[in-house]
Amino acid sequence: MRYSVFSLLAQALQGHKGWTPAWRDPAPKHEYDVVIIGGGGHGLATAHYLASRHGITNVAVLEKGYLGSGNVGRNTTIIRSNYLLPGNTPFYELSMKLWEGLEQDLNYNAMVSQRGVLNLFHSDAQRDAFARRGNAMRLAGVDAELLGSEQVRAMLPYLDYDNARFPIRGGLLQRRGGSARHDAVAWGYARAADSRGVDMIQNCEVTGITMAGGRAVGVETSRGPIRAKKIAMAVAGNSSRVAAMAGLRLPIETHVLQAFVSEGLKPLIDGVVTFGAGHFYISQSDKGGLVFGGDIDGYNSYAQRGNLPVIEDVMESAMALWPGLGRVRMLRHWGGVMDMSMDGSPIIDLTPIEGLYLNSGWCYGGFKATPASGFCFAHLIATGEPHPVASAYRLDRFVTGRLIDEKGAGAQPNLH
Amino acid sequence: MRITCPHCGARDAQEFTYLGAADPQRPDGMAATEAAMTEYVYLRDNPAGSHRELWYHGAGCHVWLVVTRDTHTHAIASVEAARARKAGAAA
Amino acid sequence: MSGQPFRLASGGLVDRSRPLSFSFDGRSYRGFAGDTLASALLANGVRLVGRSFKYHRPRGILSAGPEEPNALVELRSGARREPNTRATVVELFEGLDAASQNRWPSLAFDLLSINGLLSPALVAGFYYKTFMWPAAFWEKLYEPLIRRAAGLGRAAGLEDPDHYEKAFAFCDVLVIGGGPAGLAAALAAGRSGARVILCDEDFRLGGRLLAERREIDGKPAAEWLAATLTELESLPEVRIMPRTTVFGLYDHGIYGAVERVGDHLPEPAPHQPRQRGWRIHAKRAILAAGALERPIVFPGNDTPGVMLAGAARTYVNRYGALPGREAVLFTAGDDGWATARDIAAAGGRIAAIVDARGDSDPARKALADKLGARLFAGGAVEGTRGGRHLSSVTIRDASGATTAVDCDLLAVSNGWNPTLHLTSHQNGKPAWDDGLQCFVPGTLPAGLSVAGSAAGRFTLVQALEDGARLGREAAADGGLTPAPLDPVPATDPETTGLQPVWRVKGAKGKAFVDYQNDVTDKDVELAAREGFRPVEHLKRYTTLGMATDQGKTSNLSGLAIMAEQTGRTIPQTGTTTFRPPYTPVAIGALAGHHRGKQFRPVRLAPTHDWSREQGAVFVEAGPWLRAQYYPRPGENDWQATVDREVKAVRASVGLCDVSTLGKIDIQGADAAEFLERVYINGWKALPVGKARYGLMLREDGFVMDDGTTSRLGEHHFLMTTTTANAGKVMQHLEFCHQVLWPELDVRMVSVSEQWAQASIAGPKARETLRGVVDHEHDISNEAFPYLAARAVTVGGGIPARLFRISFSGELAYELAVPAAYGDAMMRALMQAGQPFGITPYGTEALGVMRIEKGHVAGNELNGQTTARDLGLGKMMSSKKDYIGRLMAGRPALIERDRPSFVGFKPVDPSQRLRAGAHFIGIGKAAVMENDEGYMTSVAHSPHLNHWIGLGLIRNGAGRIGERVRAYDPVRNGDIVVEICSPVFVDPEGDRLHG
């Protein structure tokens, strides 16, 4: 059923009785061409692009909970392509271009909103580093502007310019950055993939990977065994656990990242702002809540919740950046578990096991990558070859040293 | 979280710095291979459950600890000095 | 000023001798001390207090507690404005100023209430289905409209004038909630000698005892309450914290709490914070947070005048305010009847009692008769009238016939939900209790037990029993001998019969599930129809439970309607879990004093005062403030100052503080072996009394840090690190020793703060030093050559260390003295250097000179470079193992084409260089594929009188003399530069050895 203002008004006249489920609720078949483990953003996007771009529709997405129950529904909804390294920038820029056409592609309003992402800097050295990054973005065809402190002040008069411990010297702005409605991204992809025949199987936990002759040929699930010609993992946060079912060890640790939302407020801030003298970023949702976050808690965790030290650190940074937030109340905080990879960048690759494909290592930045991740993973699954813009995301880079370490933090996940 | 440091007693985890898995052993010496070192530096078991991990009591006694903690519940089962562990293994 | 027409002549806990004036939407009213804003508004007959989020429906006061979804106001004004403040928990104070929100132009006439007319189209998730065409209109038109309409209150935006602080507490037993269960628990634990903290969010302890007319031991409950509080206050280890909300449960018994220190005052008292954020470490905790009453979903259930029955009782009994004169009760259980009784006792009229239960209990009939109320057993309210103020309700009786009954209050009672939020903060799932028809705590977090209503044990006697028992147990768990168990006092009888009504079906009109977010039963049905059936989908699709009340009054109804739609039971449909915080927490309270200049601690060098006297401009260098440059009168730009400082050093002598460098003292028989393993270069052959430049890698083969390390004795080294990495290197060395090689006989300690250190640089450096170093130490070029490092004395026997090392390329020394002598050292050096015009210089000049000499620093040691990249590959020993050796040999790290370290100069010497510019071949397109590297550091060289730069460019060392573009589009820069040696000054090093 096509969504539009006309269908909405037509349904309004009949009490919305005619809407049909956004996706079917099929029982799993015994065999598929492709089984995607993980009904989060990346898995659902992969299903959509497999179906829409490669005509592969005999596909099941297996989700242990409900669709979108992973990080796609737990993040702070930021989209951007302001990356430094050539292994990353074109990939995230592809993602940005897919975001820009997403509603029309999916016939679903995911509220992609390019209100800008501004990274503040607070020292000469930081300005130099941001200029380096901004220039790299421009070379890759991405928009970037370096603002001075007066330009930042004109945009965001509420910030602390006059009494700051680390004064704001300026910022790197990507105007095309912004946010999207996270749940709607999952739902839009699910509905679009479903409309092309992909089966969304919820409450279906994968408990084992079936091997035959050294290759992966199916999965054991809580809803019975399912055979598949190709098995694709898109279970960021739990990649190590699922990979272990096939005997693989990954360059990944699972960490918890917390996020926060305030009570609903009339518009205060238009785009996304990141603080450069601490771990803090903030934006405001269309519903009015300030959405903000900070650093990962810093220890391995699958608990989907964090602790007070990071919560307080985030609030301190909030107040340091914007002392008018003191009386704004934090409404909820929660945690998501993420694949923190050893160089801070993702992996989209074949695995040493034939028939098993890996999409993992998204660290705390998987949401913005959702479209390109699905697009490139679908390409890999369909063709057996990495998509050109994701060609750096190979598993063997840790052996060859072709790392993609944006921060230069080294092989320690909690520093990325 | 609170970690009971063998020297300093129960302290807020904020006093400690986390490093990661405690079990991988560095392949020392000129005979070590690049493959073994790559595995040591990059590959992790990353279990959902009991995890032996290194914490540094930087705001206390500066001792590196091996903490056995459940990554699902965050419950800590044991804490020992990393140095003691190696001495024990050698003996 | 009106005269509180709905205030009872007597009764309640307000202090009629202390009238307070306040204003709402610009009108003045009066209330009493002990009122909340909500009770004072009700006493004044104000019913319309807010507008809903989406449809801008008129809303009144629903509850008397933290669950309030409707009565949200902007409290105070100016920089102290607090949006979305629940009027039900605001303690009235003199001059309180509140305004309604989310309405324009006024609360009574709100233009956006037109959304109500559009509501057929504005159903759950409508925005996902439209606003897609044309694509460009979303950001330009649709979204700005939505953003403007959305949100509730307006934040002040201005800097918060109040202060906040953080506090830490440790206790044996934390009791959360000061109602009967919590008080009994605190008393039992306290009598056992336990360190007890009792927190209650209310400003007055007692919980529901304050709101009910109950008896304990045959006397009014107030007497028991007073006696209990008196005893608790007398126990030295018991701390009572009213106005304190325990908002979250974190790992290992750590509870987050917020104490509202000054919110009940017009402004916080002098030197007092507005709020205090607590981290309470509790060995055991008892959750005695009570329960929250549930509304019923029926058409028109949001009209101002519809109120929870328990809240109506609270207003009557605690605040002496009548929420209506003509009341109808709509109840699903016994508890609602108490409201009818109490309203009648206070002089209100009970027009009708609608008990949804079909059985006609004669006792209830008798009570209804006694109250003069019409009883509709098995009936339901299926509509309301009145718009901005309830005027009548439509009652459908058991036969299906409808009757309109005039009233100005509809009290609604549908049972209670245990306030079990904290039990689910660590992923615990509540369990459905079919008998009680509510969720009760499931698996409990370690150390937490639950008492009274919070556990689903709703009667007063159960609360008292649980509290006494669990309080003793908690004390015993803490190793204390529990006090003897007193018999639980008797209470007046109560019954808890209940058959909840999740919604009234079959009537027209909007029936709200989530009041604040305007989620109706139809929205839940739509979600079910469209497949959003898992409870999380329901919440996310409809926004049910996502408002500022976090679904306290709505989650269960939503779940129940979804269960009904999908033919499942409530527990099959899902559970309601809760994320922290229990109620919203001000950001300021969790930040404490960490804002403004106090955001992070400031580290000052021991020579800071001296630098300040010299007129230094300071700059943040991580946690440090360092002297950046020392302007002199007449110098009106920093460039002139820095040029002068650099020239002075190169011509004569300059003085710079370098105390911030990391300094690590390393001793032991294996100290040299240890350094061999952590540095890439060799250390065993370094003679005592000499310094050497060292470079260390991370285990992944990239450069970690550099610095000079001196051998002060056979088994004694002093390592220096960069300022930025001092802590990181110390931790790394401890790791290497304790985790990797505990067998090595080596010990290390950071002495960064123990020594003040100064660089004395320039041709006159030695002569300057001669005026400070005691004469028995020969510091001639022969006796103390380049890279000499030795203990000396200064100023007549003060221990010091002298290092002949140079960052500037000049004859230079670093002199270190115990930190307490740092200030004196600088003054002595200034005096000794006076004949040579000694010049203080800062980090800028330091940077210029290091760039002139081609030394790497932070911009090059960025974690992405290898030793080879930096031209230091020759230092890598092939004879020993060291951290990073193997990984540094990986193919991608040794490619010839990697960007490597060289110098750059502008072809047109008048042009300025910029760090961060990328290098592109001349004539090549400015695209990523042609990116060859970037400029890491730049400076204006007063020596050469043009800009110079350092940078990394593909195969740099092999391209000296070649020209490339330095492309800097973010600053509109695009100039031609020549690749050159990174050493711009004195490449032979003659000055160094002079």
Side-chain angles (χ1 to χ4, degrees), chain A residues 58-82:
Chain A
N58 185 24
V59 176
V61 177
L62 309 184
E63 167 53 51
K64 73 175 173 183
Y66 57 93
L67 293 181
S69 54
N71 291 330
V72 71
R74 292 174 165 263
N75 62 79
T76 46
T77 81
I78 295 165
I79 62 173
R80 58 185 173 88
S81 56
N82 55 0

Side-chain angles (χ1 to χ4, degrees), chain B:
Chain B
M1 292 200 297
R2 283 168 76 71
I3 295 173
T4 303
C5 171
H7 298 100
C8 309
R11 300 294 185 89
D12 198 292
Q14 229 174 333
E15 292 187 8
F16 302 78
T17 306
Y18 181 77
L19 186 70
D23 286 336
Q25 297 288 308
R26 182 178 194 269
D28 267 342
M30 296 299 278
T33 65
E34 201 174 299
M37 186 60 85
T38 303
E39 183 167 332
Y40 165 73
V41 173
Y42 291 110
L43 295 187
R44 297 290 178 265
D45 288 338
N46 190 23
S50 181
H51 187 229
R52 285 160 47 79
E53 56 199 27
L54 290 163
W55 293 77
Y56 173 63
H57 199 185
C61 58
H62 280 212
V63 166
W64 278 93
L65 303 170
V66 176
V67 176
T68 305
R69 192 179 56 93
D70 189 301
T71 59
H72 258 315
T73 64
H74 298 169
I76 291 175
S78 72
V79 183
E80 59 172 337
R83 182 200 303 269
R85 171 190 68 153
K86 184 126 178 189

